[in-house]
Amino acid sequence: GVTATGNLAGLGANTFTGAQTFGGDITVDNSTPQLNMKVTADSQKHRINFYNTADSILSRIQTDPSTGKISLQKNTGEDILTGTPDGAVELYYDNSKKLETTSGGASVTGALDCDSFDCSGSLNVSGNATYHGNLDLHDNDKLRLGTGDDLQIYHDGSNSYVKDAGAGILILAGS
């Protein structure tokens, strides 16, 4: 084997087999396609930094050895994506968390814009809901209004119903 102290320069292509041990940072300098990489590790963080040829960081992958959390970050250190083993995956937009997986599913901060939405369980909405289109219900599915579902509107396949199941009376009013 070869033991070198100081710099070891290899000209041309080199192949290393087996486990390699490095006592410090690892730098990959590749002017074509103009992307350089540096791997660093200490007791606080492990990082892979990706640089352009001007030596400014384009992005980095960082891990926290104590928690196993991994982060994909932009050059300023702002998170783009983070993941924690057996825990949350978080997506960020301009350093603001927008989506997070949870033990019960996922949490979205802000608006969720989608072409289609299929919910096979319960949908709980706090705040106002605005629909631009139809609200389609199957036969015997009820539009229930009021805290105790006091007012129900439904169709049973043959007949249509407006049912007042509350303590008060049903009032139909015009203008």
Side-chain angles (χ1 to χ4, degrees), residues 104-174:
S107 176
V108 175
T109 302
L112 178 63
D113 186 11
C114 55
D115 295 350
S116 176
F117 183 78
D118 185 5
C119 178
S120 60
S122 295
L123 175 64
N124 295 316
V125 178
S126 59
N128 296 326
T130 303
Y131 296 93
H132 300 282
N134 297 323
L135 177 61
D136 295 324
L137 302 175
H138 293 268
D139 288 342
N140 295 309
D141 287 344
K142 297 178 180 180
L143 179 59
R144 298 182 295 192
L145 306 168
T147 303
D149 299 333
D150 299 336
L151 177 62
Q152 301 177 2
I153 302 172
Y154 62 98
H155 182 76
D156 68 4
S158 299
N159 301 302
S160 298
Y161 297 87
V162 176
K163 182 179 178 184
D164 179 10
I169 60 172
L170 177 64
I171 299 172
L172 299 176

Side-chain angles (χ1 to χ4, degrees), residues 15-79:
T15 302
F16 297 93
T17 58
Q20 308 299 315
T21 301
F22 299 91
D25 298 342
I26 302 168
T27 301
V28 178
D29 187 354
N30 182 11
S31 59
T32 306
Q34 300 185 359
L35 178 67
N36 299 319
M37 179 178 79
K38 184 175 184 179
V39 179
T40 60
D42 60 32
S43 63
Q44 303 298 315
K45 296 177 184 72
H46 300 153
R47 286 186 176 161
I48 302 173
N49 290 325
F50 299 94
Y51 298 86
N52 62 18
T53 54
D55 286 336
S56 62
I57 296 175
L58 297 173
S59 60
R60 75 170 50 109
I61 299 170
Q62 176 173 292
T63 62
D64 181 334
S66 64
T67 64
K69 181 176 182 177
I70 187 168
S71 301
L72 175 61
Q73 299 175 329
K74 65 185 243 182
N75 61 339
T76 60
E78 293 178 4
D79 287 329

